[in-house]
């Protein structure tokens, strides 16, 4: 069956109408075009990228209005039928443009990139000589060529004179890398003939002789030179005689930096076995069950994942394994690679565009059956999925903060329903929502109460830093922690010191008037960078030199404040000059592979102390760690967010779980100024359920998730009055159109009230059941896209905001 009309979703995500457009399929492509392929189509005055989402033979567009597709970018579709319907679901579920949903599923190499070109309009026109030189015999040149030689003013004149025209063309991306290989004949008689032809050429004869032992093999030329000692010229002569031939073979850029040793399934503990049995049963059914695997730190959740995946592979199916910010846990990838070897692809932000594209292609071409990756790997183009796993399912990085604002958990469950396969959500500290769903029976709860080798959970001490201060201890370490470190250094055991901070934020403060130096564009304090002696804004990139005097009161008593990891490092060396410390933060992990290097060095015992931020809280499994010190438990408690306590509890439990995972018992020291806070008290016993009960009680009382759903509408503008005004309009409109069961709070200023020079206001929608919500929000967005954008307003809608 061939079709003459294609329905195309175009890459124009500002257009107020979000629907496919009809295009004519030129006759020569009728047999080539497929649903799921990328095409180039004219849209208004330019060519844009589009996705074919349907093919048909008729259209409502008048015959003289319908435009033809300009080009087909893929001979084989890049999106499957499953992906296309997933995109439709995402569009509705997260209220995004369909094009955004389609693009997010592809590696960036396949997303639209545009290039500006200059087209000659009139062949006969007489052009200035410099311009003639640039064009030569061509009719189209890259805009950059004019830019490079500084001819933009001249170009402008040419455009005004209509001699040339500037256009945007879609750049085809995603280069496949190929190498030249040698394929040796598999016919011994051909070798015999070649041998006879080469009677007097000793080197050729020895090469042909060697080839007898490698019939039919495909080898790198380099390997042949090395093994036989012949030169490229000799190989060429042998190739000329027909004994072998050169071929181009597609290669994948290898993102792995080192080799691994093979591991095998461990004998499961009783608890592990019960959990695995339930999962296997659901695979056999098959059913789309979502399991919540709640297991204390070190209980062997990963071993369950590995063995469940093994079963998937045995059945010829595929598995997706998500981990948060995977580049930060190289230990994790290694565990999968050492079990499944070449069957594993990895996908994370640390890879280059080319590497990501190669990993994606390995999946698409069926070269691998397991993908271990961060959030976006949930869109891995497998077609026979048998299992999807989210490790550390409570992590906020599973939620994307840009359009499409999806949560990987929801996409996982959607795909599992499509393939009738189970999902495992694993965590020591599940998200409150997930545990509530498990209690209600929406998810199936599996519990591991004990560590895999029956080790005790570490003992936790809470050090009250207010008491320390009263005792006259002004340093950043409590007496207990100093003692703990001293002891470990003596015993040659290892330690993790955890600074509860994103990155290494230290700020500059005036001790006379209390001014903290702020970003001029954002409502946020600037971060001090010691190496460059500069202050930087982590939101907009603004930077300035550290001021010598206070910009407010001209006092000279202005200096950086706050405990960065660098500062901790210095203090440690003052106390323990003999200590060997490795620091892991944004600063020390800039170059590729730095995480691996640091962790490997630590694993090999090259240091006593691993000091770091959030990056070291998860996934580490080193036998010699017996002490974990949390330097500042409170920092994450005081973030204005209803999830602050939950996040703090999760973080403290995770990081504590790094201690005493093998033979040696572990100890944790948590330093805090608020030891009476329940998140800290309950982290001490590392018992999830009491925390869950307590937090649920508070959420119910204040009307937050999981008792209520929340949605956030955010409006920004450069002018504060405009931002407030339109946020008010949005609020009024919502009040007028949603039922009175819904609470609409605001407009209020957002918690970061100004970002990149735009003022931000928001309305919070709280509801239990509101069938009308999505259509109403869609109408609000349509209004915004058609009218408000013209006033410079930006509006976003998030149906599952991770911070409010
Ligand atoms: N059945 C088993 N027998 C022996 N050792 C095991 C078994 N299962 C797991 N282990 C070991 O116990 C340690 C902890 O297991 P694992 O890392 O899988 O736990 P986890 O629950 O994923 O931990 P976390 O959530 O703290 O990262 C690992 O060193 C692992 O090799
Ligand atoms: Zn001052
Ligand atoms: Zn800024």
């Amino acid at each position: 069956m061939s079709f003459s009309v294609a329905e195309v979703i175009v890459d124009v995500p500002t257009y107020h109408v979000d629907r496919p457009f009809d295009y004519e399929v030129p006759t020569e492509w009728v047999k080539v075009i497929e649903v799921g392929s990328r095409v180039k189509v004219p849209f208004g005055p330019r060519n844009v990228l589009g996705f074919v989402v349907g093919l048909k033979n008729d259209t409502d567009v008048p015959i003289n209005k319908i435009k033809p597709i300009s080009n087909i970018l893929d001979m084989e579709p890049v999106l499957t039928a499953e992906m296309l319907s997933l995109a439709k679901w995402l569009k509705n579920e997260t209220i995004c443009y369909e094009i955004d949903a389609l693009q997010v599923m592809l590696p960036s190499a396949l997303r639209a990139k545009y290039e500006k070109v200059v087209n000659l309009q009139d062949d006969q026109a007489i052009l200035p000589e410099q311009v003639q030189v640039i064009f030569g015999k061509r009719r189209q040149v890259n805009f950059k060529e004019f830019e490079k030689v500084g001819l933009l003013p001249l170009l402008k004149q040419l455009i005004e004179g209509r001699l040339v025209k500037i256009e945007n063309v879609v750049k085809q991306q995603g280069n496949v890398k190929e190498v030249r290989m040698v394929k040796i004949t598999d016919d011994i008689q051909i070798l015999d003939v070649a041998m006879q032809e080469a009677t007097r050429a000793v080197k050729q004869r020895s090469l042909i002789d060697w080839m007898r032992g490698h019939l039919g093999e495909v080898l790198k030329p380099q390997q042949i030179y090395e093994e036989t000692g012949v030169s490229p010229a000799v190989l060429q002569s042998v190739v000329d005689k027909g004994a072998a031939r050169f071929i181009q073979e597609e290669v994948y850029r290898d993102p792995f930096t080192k080799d691994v040793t093979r591991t095998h399934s461990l004998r499961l503990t009783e608890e592990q076995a019960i959990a695995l049995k339930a999962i296997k049963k659901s695979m056999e059914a098959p059913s789309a069950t979502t399991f919540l695997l709640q297991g204390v730190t070190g209980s062997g959740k990963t071993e369950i994942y590995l063995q469940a995946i093994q079963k998937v592979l045995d059945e010829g199916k595929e598995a997706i394994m998500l981990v948060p910010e995977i580049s930060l846990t190289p230990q994790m990838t290694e565990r999968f690679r050492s079990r499944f070897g070449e069957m594993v692809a990895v996908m994370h932000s640390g890879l280059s565009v080319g590497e990501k594209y190669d990993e994606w292609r390995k999946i698409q071409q069926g070269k691998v059956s397991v993908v271990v990756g961060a959030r976006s790997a949930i869109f891995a183009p497998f077609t026979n999925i048998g299992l999807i796993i989210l490790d550390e399912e409570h992590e906020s990085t599973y939620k994307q903060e840009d359009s499409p604002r999806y949560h990987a958990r929801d996409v996982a469950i959607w795909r599992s329903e499509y393939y009738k396969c189970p999902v495992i959500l694993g965590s020591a500290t599940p998200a409150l929502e997930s545990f509530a769903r498990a209690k209600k029976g929406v998810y199936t709860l599996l519990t591991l109460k004990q560590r895999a080798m029956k080790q005790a959970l570490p003992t936790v001490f809470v050090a009250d830093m207010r008491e320390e201060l009263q005792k006259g201890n002004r340093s950043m370490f409590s007496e207990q922690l100093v003692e703990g470190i001293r002891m470990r250094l003596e015993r040659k055991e290892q330690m993790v010191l955890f600074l509860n901070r994103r990155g290494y934020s230290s700020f500059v403060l005036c001790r006379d008037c209390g001014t903290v130096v702020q970003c001029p564009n954002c409502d946020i304090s600037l971060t001090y960078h010691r190496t460059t002696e500069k202050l930087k804004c982590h939101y907009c990139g603004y930077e300035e030199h550290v001021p010598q005097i206070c910009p407010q009161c001209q006092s000279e008593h202005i200096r950086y404040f706050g405990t960065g990891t660098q500062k901790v490092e210095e203090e440690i060396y003052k106390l323990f000059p003999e200590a060997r410390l490795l620091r892991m933060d944004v600063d020390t992990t800039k170059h590729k592979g730095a995480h691996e290097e640091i962790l490997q060095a630590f694993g090999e015992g090259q240091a006593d102390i691993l000091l770091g931020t959030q990056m070291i809280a998860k996934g580490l499994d080193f036998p010699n760690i017996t002490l974990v010190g949390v330097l500042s438990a409170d920092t994450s408690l005081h973030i204005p967010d209803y999830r602050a306590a939950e996040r703090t509890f999760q973080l403290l439990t995770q990081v504590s779980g790094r201690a005493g995972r093998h033979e040696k018992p572990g100890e944790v020291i948590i330093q805090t100024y608020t030891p009476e806070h329940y998140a800290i008290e309950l982290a001490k016993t590392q018992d999830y359920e009491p925390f869950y009960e307590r937090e649920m009680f508070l959420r119910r009382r204040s009307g937050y998730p999981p008792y209520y759903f929340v949605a956030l509408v955010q409006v920004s503008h450069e002018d504060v009055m405009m931002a407030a005004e339109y946020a008010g309009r949005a609020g009024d409109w919502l009040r007028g159109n949603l039922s009175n069961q819904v609470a609409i709070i605001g407009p209020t200023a957002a918690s970061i009230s100004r970002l990149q020079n735009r003022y931000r206001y928001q309305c919070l929608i709280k509801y239990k059941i509101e069938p009308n919500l999505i259509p109403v929000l869609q109408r609000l967005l349509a209004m915004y896209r058609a009218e408000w954008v013209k006033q410079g307003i930006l509006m976003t809608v998030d149906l599952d905001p991770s911070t409010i």
Side-chain angles (χ1 to χ4, degrees), residues 679-746:
I680 289 173
E681 255 182 355
L682 293 169
K684 201 159 112 182
T685 49
Q686 294 186 68
D687 219 352
Y688 178 76
E689 282 209 53
F691 174 79
Y692 169 80
E693 298 295 345
R694 180 74 187 261
E695 184 69 20
M696 284 296 270
F697 170 78
L698 295 172
R699 297 281 177 92
R700 188 210 299 263
R701 210 176 54 185
S702 48
Y704 277 121
Y707 287 101
Y708 286 82
F709 294 106
V710 290
L712 191 67
V713 175
Q714 212 163 56
V715 172
S716 75
H717 196 278
E718 285 175 7
D719 176 357
V720 63
M721 297 305 285
M722 286 290 280
E725 149 96 18
Y726 277 83
R729 284 194 198 187
D732 291 345
W733 198 84
L734 289 169
R735 279 184 194 99
N737 287 277
L738 292 170
S739 75
N740 54 12
Q741 300 295 307
V742 179
I744 291 144
I745 299 159

Side-chain angles (χ1 to χ4, degrees), residues 184 188 191-192 195 207-215:
I184 297 164
I188 195 112
L191 287 185
D192 290 343
M195 199 66 141
L207 177 57
I208 295 169
D209 212 31
W210 177 86
M211 284 180 171
R212 288 179 199 277
H214 298 268
L215 287 181

Side-chain angles (χ1 to χ4, degrees), residues 263-269 272-273 276 300 302-304 306-307 335 339 452-453 621:
T263 62
H264 298 281
S265 293
L266 300 173
R267 221 189 115 89
L268 296 183
T269 65
Q272 281 175 319
L276 183 65
T302 313
E303 186 61 31
I304 295 179
L306 290 166
Q307 297 198 18
R335 285 173 79 176
R339 196 66 62 88
M453 288 166 287
D621 186 30

Side-chain angles (χ1 to χ4, degrees), residues 19 46 342 419 469 496 594 647 702:
R19 60 164 176 88
R46 56 200 188 105
E342 298 298 307
Y419 289 102
L469 208 62
V496 167
R647 296 249 160 87
S702 48

Side-chain angles (χ1 to χ4, degrees), residues 452-655:
M453 288 166 287
K454 300 261 184 322
Q455 320 88 310
L457 284 170
T459 7
V460 183
F461 294 102
V462 172
D464 185 342
M465 294 306 275
R466 292 168 310 190
E467 274 174 22
E468 293 287 321
L469 208 62
Q470 276 162 15
K471 281 191 278 183
N473 176 5
R474 302 193 152 272
S475 87
M476 56 176 78
F477 308 113
S478 60
E479 247 174 59
Q480 242 163 349
L481 186 56
V482 173
E483 194 39 44
I485 296 174
R486 188 189 316 283
M487 201 159 87
R488 294 327 183 284
L489 286 174
E490 266 166 29
R491 289 201 214 142
K492 308 229 173 310
E493 291 172 356
Q494 288 183 303
M495 290 156 267
V496 167
L497 291 185
F498 173 67
L499 194 63
N500 190 6
R501 283 254 162 81
R502 288 240 164 262
Y504 51 135
S505 53
S506 34
F507 47 93
V508 167
L509 171 113
C510 170
R511 288 201 293 172
D512 285 335
C513 75
T515 293
V516 172
V517 184
Q518 301 267 336
C519 173
N521 309 321
C522 310
D523 177 33
I524 266 280
S525 54
L526 292 173
T527 301
Y528 173 66
H529 286 241
R530 165 163 297 198
T531 38
T532 50
E533 276 295 307
K534 276 190 174 153
L535 293 174
K536 275 190 201 158
C537 173
H538 283 188
Y539 285 89
C540 75
Y542 170 86
E543 59 175 66
E544 64 178 46
H545 279 286
V546 175
Q548 300 298 311
I549 52 168
C550 171
Q552 281 299 320
C553 73
Q554 271 71 47
S555 152
E556 284 173 11
H557 295 138
I558 185 160
R559 62 182 194 97
Y560 84 90
F561 197 83
T563 336
T565 44
Q566 295 171 337
K567 183 94 171 106
V568 178
E569 180 178 15
E570 280 166 26
E571 296 295 311
I572 288 281
Y573 284 134
K574 270 187 215 158
L575 286 167
F576 305 105
E578 76 281 15
R580 297 167 306 158
L581 181 144
L582 280 168
R583 183 157 61 85
M584 184 137 130
D585 56 25
V586 257
D587 242 6
T588 61
T589 51
K590 271 189 198 123
H591 75 268
K592 204 179 160 185
H595 291 105
E596 281 94 331
E597 284 163 27
I598 295 176
L599 290 178
Q600 191 173 354
F602 190 65
E604 286 167 0
Q606 292 176 32
D608 311 300
I609 301 174
L610 178 65
L611 164 67
T613 52
Q614 254 74 338
M615 290 177 194
I616 60 168
K618 294 168 237 143
L620 302 189
D621 186 30
F622 292 115
N624 206 25
I625 300 177
T626 60
L627 175 68
V628 167
V630 179
L631 295 171
S632 45
D634 313 284
T635 338
S636 55
L637 265 187
H638 303 311
I639 295 168
D641 182 350
Y642 75 92
R643 284 186 173 117
E646 183 184 356
R647 296 249 160 87
T648 304
F649 176 80
Q650 286 164 342
L651 207 55
L652 293 178
T653 311
Q654 291 298 331
V655 69

